[in-house]
PDB file of all heavy atoms in Angstrom:
ATOM      1  N   ILE A 342      54.211 -18.207  59.319  1.00 78.00           N
ATOM      2  CA  ILE A 342      53.353 -19.364  59.017  1.00 78.00           C
ATOM      3  C   ILE A 342      51.917 -19.074  59.436  1.00 78.00           C
ATOM      4  O   ILE A 342      50.952 -19.382  58.714  1.00 78.00           O
ATOM      5  CB  ILE A 342      53.901 -20.623  59.707  1.00 78.00           C
ATOM      6  CG1 ILE A 342      55.252 -21.037  59.087  1.00 78.00           C
ATOM      7  CG2 ILE A 342      52.893 -21.774  59.612  1.00 78.00           C
ATOM      8  CD1 ILE A 342      55.926 -22.200  59.802  1.00 78.00           C
ATOM      9  N   ILE A 343      51.769 -18.475  60.635  1.00 71.00           N
ATOM     10  CA  ILE A 343      50.407 -18.165  61.114  1.00 71.00           C
ATOM     11  C   ILE A 343      49.753 -17.138  60.181  1.00 71.00           C
ATOM     12  O   ILE A 343      48.551 -17.235  59.883  1.00 71.00           O
ATOM     13  CB  ILE A 343      50.474 -17.649  62.563  1.00 71.00           C
ATOM     14  CG1 ILE A 343      50.882 -18.794  63.504  1.00 71.00           C
ATOM     15  CG2 ILE A 343      49.138 -17.047  62.984  1.00 71.00           C
ATOM     16  CD1 ILE A 343      51.129 -18.342  64.927  1.00 71.00           C
ATOM     17  N   ARG A 344      50.546 -16.151  59.672  1.00 72.00           N
ATOM     18  CA  ARG A 344      49.965 -15.159  58.754  1.00 72.00           C
ATOM     19  C   ARG A 344      49.483 -15.818  57.464  1.00 72.00           C
ATOM     20  O   ARG A 344      48.411 -15.493  56.942  1.00 72.00           O
ATOM     21  CB  ARG A 344      51.011 -14.104  58.415  1.00 72.00           C
ATOM     22  CG  ARG A 344      50.431 -12.898  57.656  1.00 72.00           C
ATOM     23  CD  ARG A 344      51.525 -11.982  57.191  1.00 72.00           C
ATOM     24  NE  ARG A 344      52.375 -12.654  56.205  1.00 72.00           N
ATOM     25  CZ  ARG A 344      52.043 -12.815  54.932  1.00 72.00           C
ATOM     26  NH1 ARG A 344      50.889 -12.357  54.485  1.00 72.00           N
ATOM     27  NH2 ARG A 344      52.866 -13.419  54.107  1.00 72.00           N
ATOM     28  N   LEU A 345      50.286 -16.796  56.951  1.00 73.00           N
ATOM     29  CA  LEU A 345      49.864 -17.513  55.745  1.00 73.00           C
ATOM     30  C   LEU A 345      48.588 -18.307  56.012  1.00 73.00           C
ATOM     31  O   LEU A 345      47.694 -18.389  55.164  1.00 73.00           O
ATOM     32  CB  LEU A 345      50.981 -18.442  55.258  1.00 73.00           C
ATOM     33  CG  LEU A 345      52.221 -17.762  54.665  1.00 73.00           C
ATOM     34  CD1 LEU A 345      53.297 -18.807  54.338  1.00 73.00           C
ATOM     35  CD2 LEU A 345      51.825 -17.016  53.403  1.00 73.00           C
ATOM     36  N   PHE A 346      48.520 -18.917  57.230  1.00 66.00           N
ATOM     37  CA  PHE A 346      47.298 -19.633  57.613  1.00 66.00           C
ATOM     38  C   PHE A 346      46.089 -18.684  57.583  1.00 66.00           C
ATOM     39  O   PHE A 346      44.997 -19.030  57.106  1.00 66.00           O
ATOM     40  CB  PHE A 346      47.454 -20.251  58.994  1.00 66.00           C
ATOM     41  CG  PHE A 346      48.163 -21.584  59.006  1.00 66.00           C
ATOM     42  CD1 PHE A 346      48.738 -22.101  60.176  1.00 66.00           C
ATOM     43  CD2 PHE A 346      48.244 -22.336  57.842  1.00 66.00           C
ATOM     44  CE1 PHE A 346      49.383 -23.321  60.172  1.00 66.00           C
ATOM     45  CE2 PHE A 346      48.886 -23.562  57.862  1.00 66.00           C
ATOM     46  CZ  PHE A 346      49.476 -24.055  59.013  1.00 66.00           C
ATOM     47  N   GLU A 347      46.310 -17.481  58.139  1.00 67.00           N
ATOM     48  CA  GLU A 347      45.197 -16.522  58.175  1.00 67.00           C
ATOM     49  C   GLU A 347      44.721 -16.169  56.765  1.00 67.00           C
ATOM     50  O   GLU A 347      43.515 -16.085  56.498  1.00 67.00           O
ATOM     51  CB  GLU A 347      45.637 -15.257  58.919  1.00 67.00           C
ATOM     52  CG  GLU A 347      45.761 -15.444  60.412  1.00 67.00           C
ATOM     53  CD  GLU A 347      46.234 -14.169  61.104  1.00 67.00           C
ATOM     54  OE1 GLU A 347      46.808 -13.285  60.406  1.00 67.00           O
ATOM     55  OE2 GLU A 347      46.020 -14.038  62.316  1.00 67.00           O
ATOM     56  N   VAL A 348      45.699 -15.939  55.849  1.00 64.00           N
ATOM     57  CA  VAL A 348      45.329 -15.596  54.468  1.00 64.00           C
ATOM     58  C   VAL A 348      44.588 -16.740  53.806  1.00 64.00           C
ATOM     59  O   VAL A 348      43.530 -16.566  53.188  1.00 64.00           O
ATOM     60  CB  VAL A 348      46.582 -15.217  53.660  1.00 64.00           C
ATOM     61  CG1 VAL A 348      46.228 -15.046  52.178  1.00 64.00           C
ATOM     62  CG2 VAL A 348      47.198 -13.937  54.206  1.00 64.00           C
ATOM     63  N   ARG A 349      45.143 -17.967  53.941  1.00 66.00           N
ATOM     64  CA  ARG A 349      44.512 -19.121  53.298  1.00 66.00           C
ATOM     65  C   ARG A 349      43.141 -19.404  53.879  1.00 66.00           C
ATOM     66  O   ARG A 349      42.176 -19.714  53.160  1.00 66.00           O
ATOM     67  CB  ARG A 349      45.413 -20.364  53.444  1.00 66.00           C
ATOM     68  CG  ARG A 349      46.723 -20.270  52.689  1.00 66.00           C
ATOM     69  CD  ARG A 349      46.469 -20.186  51.193  1.00 66.00           C
ATOM     70  NE  ARG A 349      47.729 -20.170  50.449  1.00 66.00           N
ATOM     71  CZ  ARG A 349      47.797 -20.148  49.128  1.00 66.00           C
ATOM     72  NH1 ARG A 349      46.683 -20.119  48.431  1.00 66.00           N
ATOM     73  NH2 ARG A 349      48.978 -20.115  48.521  1.00 66.00           N
ATOM     74  N   LEU A 350      43.058 -19.294  55.226  1.00 65.00           N
ATOM     75  CA  LEU A 350      41.749 -19.522  55.853  1.00 65.00           C
ATOM     76  C   LEU A 350      40.754 -18.444  55.425  1.00 65.00           C
ATOM     77  O   LEU A 350      39.538 -18.717  55.264  1.00 65.00           O
ATOM     78  CB  LEU A 350      41.903 -19.546  57.371  1.00 65.00           C
ATOM     79  CG  LEU A 350      42.562 -20.797  57.962  1.00 65.00           C
ATOM     80  CD1 LEU A 350      42.787 -20.616  59.456  1.00 65.00           C
ATOM     81  CD2 LEU A 350      41.711 -22.033  57.703  1.00 65.00           C
ATOM     82  N   GLY A 351      41.251 -17.206  55.197  1.00 62.00           N
ATOM     83  CA  GLY A 351      40.359 -16.139  54.714  1.00 62.00           C
ATOM     84  C   GLY A 351      39.814 -16.459  53.342  1.00 62.00           C
ATOM     85  O   GLY A 351      38.615 -16.281  53.074  1.00 62.00           O
ATOM     86  N   HIS A 352      40.717 -16.958  52.457  1.00 59.00           N
ATOM     87  CA  HIS A 352      40.253 -17.342  51.106  1.00 59.00           C
ATOM     88  C   HIS A 352      39.245 -18.481  51.186  1.00 59.00           C
ATOM     89  O   HIS A 352      38.243 -18.506  50.460  1.00 59.00           O
ATOM     90  CB  HIS A 352      41.450 -17.760  50.245  1.00 59.00           C
ATOM     91  CG  HIS A 352      42.366 -16.615  49.918  1.00 59.00           C
ATOM     92  ND1 HIS A 352      43.649 -16.801  49.457  1.00 59.00           N
ATOM     93  CD2 HIS A 352      42.186 -15.268  49.995  1.00 59.00           C
ATOM     94  CE1 HIS A 352      44.218 -15.628  49.258  1.00 59.00           C
ATOM     95  NE2 HIS A 352      43.336 -14.678  49.584  1.00 59.00           N
ATOM     96  N   LEU A 353      39.551 -19.461  52.063  1.00 63.00           N
ATOM     97  CA  LEU A 353      38.655 -20.598  52.210  1.00 63.00           C
ATOM     98  C   LEU A 353      37.300 -20.136  52.736  1.00 63.00           C
ATOM     99  O   LEU A 353      36.242 -20.615  52.301  1.00 63.00           O
ATOM    100  CB  LEU A 353      39.289 -21.633  53.148  1.00 63.00           C
ATOM    101  CG  LEU A 353      38.486 -22.925  53.363  1.00 63.00           C
ATOM    102  CD1 LEU A 353      38.261 -23.642  52.030  1.00 63.00           C
ATOM    103  CD2 LEU A 353      39.228 -23.843  54.344  1.00 63.00           C
ATOM    104  N   ARG A 354      37.342 -19.189  53.671  1.00 64.00           N
ATOM    105  CA  ARG A 354      36.086 -18.682  54.235  1.00 64.00           C
ATOM    106  C   ARG A 354      35.282 -17.921  53.163  1.00 64.00           C
ATOM    107  O   ARG A 354      34.058 -18.081  53.067  1.00 64.00           O
ATOM    108  CB  ARG A 354      36.402 -17.766  55.420  1.00 64.00           C
ATOM    109  CG  ARG A 354      35.154 -17.291  56.154  1.00 64.00           C
ATOM    110  CD  ARG A 354      35.546 -16.460  57.365  1.00 64.00           C
ATOM    111  NE  ARG A 354      34.371 -16.043  58.097  1.00 64.00           N
ATOM    112  CZ  ARG A 354      34.402 -15.303  59.194  1.00 64.00           C
ATOM    113  NH1 ARG A 354      35.599 -14.908  59.684  1.00 64.00           N
ATOM    114  NH2 ARG A 354      33.300 -14.956  59.810  1.00 64.00           N
ATOM    115  N   GLU A 355      35.996 -17.104  52.327  1.00 63.00           N
ATOM    116  CA  GLU A 355      35.307 -16.386  51.251  1.00 63.00           C
ATOM    117  C   GLU A 355      34.674 -17.366  50.265  1.00 63.00           C
ATOM    118  O   GLU A 355      33.536 -17.176  49.824  1.00 63.00           O
ATOM    119  CB  GLU A 355      36.286 -15.478  50.521  1.00 63.00           C
ATOM    120  CG  GLU A 355      36.731 -14.274  51.333  1.00 63.00           C
ATOM    121  CD  GLU A 355      37.779 -13.462  50.588  1.00 63.00           C
ATOM    122  OE1 GLU A 355      38.043 -13.792  49.402  1.00 63.00           O
ATOM    123  OE2 GLU A 355      38.330 -12.518  51.173  1.00 63.00           O
TER     124      GLU A 355
END
Side-chain angles (χ1 to χ4, degrees):
I342 293 175
I343 291 173
R344 190 187 65 78
L345 290 175
F346 277 161
E347 287 179 341
V348 172
R349 293 296 183 178
L350 286 174
H352 292 163
L353 182 59
R354 185 177 182 180
E355 289 176 6

